Amino acid sequence: MSSADLTSERDLPPEREASAKGDVAPERDGPRDTGMDDASLHRWLTRTWRTPPGIIGALSSVDHKVIARRYLITAFLFLCLGGLNAVVMRIQLSGPRRGLIGPDLYNQLFTMHGVTMMFLFAVPIVQATGIYLVPLMVGTRNIAFPRLNAFSYWVYVSGGLFAWVSFALSMAPDVGWFAYVPLSGPEYGPGKRADVWAQMITYTEVSSLAVAVATIVTIFKQRAPGMSLDKIPLYVWSLLVTSFVVVFAMPAVMITSTFLILDRLVGTHIFNPAEGGDALLFQHLFWFFGHPEVYIIFLPATGMVSAIIPAFARRPVFGHLGLVLSLIAVGFLSFGLWVHHMFATGLPKLGASFFTASSMMIAIPNGVQIFCWLATLWDGRPVIRTPLLFVFGFFFIFVIGGLTGVMLASVPLDLQVHDTYFVVAHFHYVLIGGAVFPLLGAAYFWFPKITGRMMSERLGRWHFWLALIGFNAAFFPMHIVGLWGMPRRVYTYPAELGWGNINLFITAGAVLFFLSFVLFAFNLIHGALKGAPAGDNPWDAGTLEWATSSPPPSYNFARIPVVTNVEPLWAEPQALPVATGLRADVRELLISTVAEAHPDIREKSATPSIWPLLAAIAVGGTFLYSIFTPWAIVWGAAPIAVTLIGWFWPKGDPEDEE
Amino acid sequence: MKRLASIAFATAIALSLQGCSGWQSALDPKGPAASELAWLIWFFTGLCAVVWVLVMVALAMPLMMRSRQRAEPLVLDAGADNRKLRVVMTAVGLTAVILVGLTLVSFFANRTLAAIGSDVALTIRVTGHQWWWEVRYEDATPSRILTTANEIHIPAGEPVRLLLTSTDVIHSFWVPSLSGKLDLIPGHMNVLDIKADKPGVYRGQCAEFCGAQHANMGTFVIAEPRAKFDAWWNDQLQPAAAPMSDEAKAGENLFLKRPCVMCHKIGGTPAGGTVAPDLTHVASRQTLAAGTLTMSRGNLAAWIADPQGVKPGSHMPVVDLSGDELNAIVAYLEGLK
Amino acid sequence: MNQRPALDLSALPTFGHGPRSPTWWGTLGFMALEGTGFALAAGAYLYLATLWPNWRLSAPQPNHWPGTIVTLLLIVSLVPNHILNGYAKQCAMRPVRIGMVVMSLLGLAPLIVRWFEFPALNIYWDTNAYGSMLWVLLGLHTTHLITDVGDTIVLMVLMFTHHGYSGRRFGDVGDNVFYWDFVVLTWIPIYLLIYWLPRLG
């Protein structure tokens, strides 16, 4: 399709004329990028799009790249905290009856490990990667609803601080990341620990949901002209499907945690079997979210794999359409499996068998993805660089995790391994193999784009081998010790069961794995400070984020690219076709149609604002206070309303008026 | 480097196998359910291992090939892509066939398991508590109903029905060498049929996180020949043995005067508490505190003197006792065979 | 990277209504996630209702009249709501201002009646799980009602200032109409669950 078709094919929108009539102030025109030379365009756009200077300016930023960088760094710090948790637990378990820590601390540690890794590391980091990359990959200047995006970050970071401050005060939840009732209920969960869990979950999920909506709208409405559905990069597809899964799954956990806090604080009986409630209802609601949660973490990682492989295999992904359909199929099927976390609760046998079948079935679309990636790699010799090494590590580890997942889908087999170290091994193979290894590959892959510098390839290889060996040494033996009868979530075990030696070995592996992250952190810092300059497109990859400079300017693209291929830069190696006609003096970006990405509207994007931060503080304070009294919701309503009105009330910027 | 790791790993497994007694292992089945499940585990593992190796070979192939790197990323060989499409479709088809097969295998294994409880003669009600197991033997004759704790005696070679529930939080009953696990949920009653092929002692422990002492909530299934089991039941129905020595007599008095009596029951005495394990025949059991300590005079004393040191967070309070008082109570309890 | 101009965007309009505007899609996204929350809460209610043979757990029947009045008010409000939408599309200031006032009042009216709905449930939230679920469902919808009425009033005030003369603001009015439809629509199943399901048992 030639770029001229984009305008000639479409019908002129009726509102084009309508915009002149009606009670609307006429558009004040300003300088446009048409015909402007590169240097003055850069000056204009920088003045328009930059984050204001100073601390208030920094706190007001709505630039998706600035927010995403903060997200990425915060999530990495939480990863380190969660990892340290794990190391402490492993030292406690390195031998039978060790007295390093008691049950009270241990139970807080494993709860915080789960909560941190799931809610403060994994989901935020895949969403943050999307916040950074999606607008660049679809060729737009900022994410949709940029202030909402800033708000999400403040909510997330305060939710994380809330959890970790409570840990420092020995008030952290100690009921597991799943917080089953009645253990977390009013009768058996004294103190404020389970309340911290409930409110922190509700609160941080607000942030995930907001990011998901912003991501969906960015992908639907802000794609560069010509990027019809079939030309959307697979990474962007994966974020789109993930965001939909977030929209339909996260409300379940918010409902669960809200019901729990109501039971605990105002005396409702939703989960109380003595007064007509039911404890299993909690598990149904929790896992209706909990299983899709795995795919919320895993699907973006498949998108990363789909972005890294073509760059190093030097060809577009084999079976693009098949991969897109697989993503969508996995997204749907992920809602039909939750009961396989509950086989041991004694559900009716027929129902359980249905969930065996559905859990097995999700392996088919996942298999399609694996086979298509392998087929992509078969054309010629791939370029072996660190990002691809981590993708190989992903195959090595994730396939094991997927296969043990098939084992867990079988009801009778699950009854032996459920809640043992076999399951701990399984989901670490899935989550670390399926998400963390691709994320590490993605870090090496996109680091040059984000910082403008390369990470060390030599350290990268060391990092890869250390991580691969450390991971497998730590987690493979857990399958065995689980089959030997070791349950999860035990702070100690007796010597006579004979689990001591293998646990010592596991601990050694865990320490090795942790060290690999120390090496990674060093490589990140070293690369950011002293790495070789990267240039725009160090890997000679084909998607739009590589068309702009590294790091990208605040406005992302001097002119919006026009897309003619799923790998636009490979299709137009000489000169990228671009669109002109946007204003340079206001934050104007292009809104396009959902399916075909025809250009439709020049809309203004929001300017920097401090109000999202203030709103996050108001909402956060309300949640924190609500742990102590339900009246907090009433008292908190006023500051929340004030900050939201401040946020949305126009300030007279041209962006607000038109 | 990798080979070194695998050698180290193999050594570690060999070392730890020596220590493994197998009495709480899913891979060391001692009953029909666990045998069926062990077979299922090995079958799935074998098949999955083959699939994994095949995927790894497919991954290694382009690295082994001597072909050159592609120069023009968008120039594709349509014929080669068509051949790949056939390979991918075949692989997807095979995946589907394997998954359907595994679903069927799993379904039939489930039927085999369900058949174990077809003619049960003995029903035992197991109630989970933080952090011990209440065990009640049901009988048509009310006087033959027996309540004990933490150790479940069963006749070997006979199917036994366990009715599982809980009065506080969710627990899970799991004796891996006999069968898979099943949860004990307040407000629900679950049914688990177990059978031990031969006499023996099979350890299990709570498998659902239940709070501070989840790690120390062990249980033992003790399978005995039918005659021995019947004798055991009859013995357990007897009231507690009267104290023999003066010290033990003093111990009984102390027990009845101190807070012990609020929670524990000792048949034949006024002690009738029901929130903690029945101690009528406590000394006949092999362990103390739900599998935490082996039964001995010293361990009894340690448990009574410092329950929060042995099981931090447990509901057994510290009772202020002098050394002599402690010894007296221990002497009394030790006599409750 | 070198560039070559291939497309001119200068003639495009600067705002659009309905599905053309990103805000409409954002509103739809939030409706989807809130709707999921409603559906799950309703599912939890039905789960408990089927679990116990005598649902209502021997509590007295709720008095449906305040709820029925709210239902009628909400359904009636849909008419001016859609008339307002038509004017918002034409960017006609006077009728839009009148419409926003009307919709603010039609938002406050059911909120006032809602106040009498809670005692009409004839049970407290801490009596049993049945009472808890009624209060939760009613509370969930009331939260939506309050936030949307607040939103409508703020937008109404905005339309009376000079900020109102903007295509974007008229778009916001359209999205507000859209969200009110959602608030009304979600109420119908909740109304049936709260007042009519207990009459079956």
Side-chain angles (χ1 to χ4, degrees), chain A residues 416 479-480 483-485, chain B residues 22 24-29 34 38 41-42 176-177:
Chain A
Q416 272 297 22
H479 292 109
I480 298 165
L483 290 170
W484 286 350
Chain B
Q24 185 175 318
S25 168
L27 300 180
D28 189 13
I41 290 168
W42 286 119
S177 45

Side-chain angles (χ1 to χ4, degrees), chain A residues 178-492:
Chain A
F178 47 92
Y180 278 1
V181 292
L183 187 63
S184 63
E187 207 175 337
Y188 299 98
K192 293 290 171 199
R193 287 176 167 183
D195 302 303
V196 170
W197 180 87
Q199 290 310 64
M200 180 248 158
I201 297 290
T202 315
Y203 184 62
T204 51
E205 296 325 286
V206 169
S207 124
S208 294
L209 283 164
V211 174
V213 171
T215 306
I216 290 173
V217 176
T218 309
I219 297 170
F220 272 2
K221 295 300 290 178
Q222 293 186 196
R223 300 203 305 278
M227 190 183 276
S228 47
L229 293 179
D230 59 321
K231 297 191 188 67
I232 299 179
L234 280 166
Y235 175 76
V236 176
W237 266 114
S238 76
L239 259 291
L240 181 66
V241 174
T242 303
S243 300
F244 271 103
V245 177
V246 168
V247 163
F248 293 110
M250 292 288 186
V253 74
M254 291 178 70
I255 288 278
T256 319
S257 52
T258 306
F259 283 3
L260 177 64
I261 203 90
L262 289 174
D263 269 13
R264 290 180 59 89
L265 289 187
V266 301
T268 55
H269 298 288
I270 300 165
F271 301 129
N272 178 7
E275 292 291 352
D278 184 44
L280 277 186
L281 174 60
F282 183 99
Q283 299 190 17
H284 281 294
L285 287 171
F286 183 82
W287 290 115
F288 186 80
F289 140 82
H291 197 82
E293 165 86 350
V294 176
Y295 290 94
I296 291 167
I297 296 166
F298 171 62
L299 287 179
T302 68
M304 294 167 187
V305 172
S306 294
I308 294 171
I309 285 183
F312 296 102
R314 317 260 343 113
R315 61 157 287 167
V317 166
F318 175 85
H320 183 92
L321 180 64
L323 284 168
V324 171
L325 294 177
S326 301
L327 283 170
I328 296 170
V330 170
F332 272 104
L333 288 173
S334 68
F335 286 94
L337 320 175
W338 81 92
V339 168
H340 77 216
H341 296 267
M342 297 168 62
F343 285 157
T345 57
L347 294 167
K349 284 220 163 35
L350 187 68
S353 296
F354 168 79
F355 282 95
T356 294
S358 68
S359 306
M360 295 269 183
M361 207 158 72
I362 202 165
I364 294 176
N366 282 319
V368 170
Q369 301 200 56
I370 300 268
F371 301 140
C372 284
W373 289 322
L374 288 173
T376 310
L377 285 165
W378 286 338
D379 268 3
R381 195 174 175 77
V383 185
I384 310 275
R385 303 292 292 273
T386 309
L388 192 66
L389 280 182
F390 277 98
V391 169
F392 288 156
F394 153 79
F395 278 107
F396 187 94
I397 297 169
F398 173 72
V399 173
I400 295 180
L403 290 166
T404 51
V406 168
M407 298 173 76
L408 294 177
S410 158
V411 179
L413 208 163
D414 181 70
L415 295 181
Q416 272 297 22
V417 292
H418 177 76
D419 268 336
T420 70
Y421 263 87
F422 187 92
V423 171
V424 177
H426 157 72
F427 70 74
H428 282 94
Y429 267 78
V430 168
L431 291 174
I432 295 183
V436 175
F437 269 70
L439 263 167
L440 291 170
Y444 282 90
F445 188 64
W446 281 298
F447 184 85
K449 179 48 63 186
I450 297 173
T451 63
R453 293 176 185 275
M454 305 295 288
M455 284 170 80
S456 157
E457 188 69 18
R458 217 164 77 93
L459 283 179
R461 282 165 198 250
W462 275 95
H463 171 205
F464 169 71
W465 287 107
L466 197 60
L468 187 74
I469 293 165
F471 172 82
N472 284 293
F475 291 97
F476 195 82
M478 286 188 189
H479 292 109
I480 298 165
V481 78
L483 290 170
W484 286 350
M486 182 163 170
R488 298 168 75 173
R489 302 168 184 137
V490 291
Y491 76 100
T492 190

